[in-house]
Amino acid sequence: MKSVLVILTQANLANLQVHESLSATMVLATFGCEVKVLLQDAALSLLNAELQFEQLKHAFKVASNMVDSFEFYDLSPILVENRHQNSHFVTNAQQDIEFVELNADFIQSFDFVLYW
């Protein structure tokens, strides 16, 4: 089985690309790839499950709702870099999180890396 590391960098509610990235990640997991998801920088906002979509305020739907369904796609735990352990989004997260050191050895442990 091929292993894929998906590194997400887009913020929740930022644009449509984050929805497309999450959808593609779920499709990979559905069709037999071993997928791990690493949230980086602005994508840490995807851990905020408390946001409510307001049509007049937000241009895009809340992408964190998709992240909440990761457990059904065997995409848990969500990977977060050690340096973000004290982030507000991480400390208040309800999802299963695993902290990793993002380095060359870690990246090379995967067959493919997708960076969105």
Side-chain angles (χ1 to χ4, degrees), residues 19-80:
H19 289 276
E20 293 170 348
S21 302
L22 290 167
S23 295
T25 300
M26 292 179 192
V27 167
L28 286 171
T30 300
F31 288 101
C33 289
E34 180 184 332
V35 181
K36 293 291 184 181
V37 178
L38 174 76
L39 300 182
Q40 205 177 45
D41 303 325
L44 292 172
S45 65
L46 292 168
L47 296 172
N48 186 358
E50 301 300 318
L51 282 177
Q52 297 294 321
F53 176 71
E54 297 176 32
Q55 188 173 8
L56 298 175
K57 184 177 177 183
H58 301 121
F60 301 99
K61 290 192 177 182
V62 181
S64 57
N65 294 341
M66 295 175 78
V67 174
D68 287 343
S69 67
F70 272 15
E71 64 184 301
F72 302 113
Y73 293 87
D74 292 328
L75 292 170
S76 292
I78 298 170
L79 305 179
V80 173

Side-chain angles (χ1 to χ4, degrees), residues 7-22:
I7 301 173
L8 299 174
T9 61
Q10 301 292 319
N12 197 8
L13 296 168
N15 57 42
L16 191 57
Q17 182 181 356
V18 70
H19 289 276
E20 293 170 348
S21 302
L22 290 167

Side-chain angles (χ1 to χ4, degrees), residues 1-7 28 32-38 79 102 106-116:
M1 179 181 328
K2 298 290 183 184
S3 61
V4 179
L5 173 64
V6 175
I7 301 173
L28 286 171
C33 289
E34 180 184 332
V35 181
K36 293 291 184 181
V37 178
L38 174 76
L79 305 179
L102 185 62
F106 178 74
I107 290 173
Q108 290 176 353
S109 68
F110 294 90
D111 295 314
F112 302 98
V113 177
L114 299 174
Y115 186 82
W116 282 310

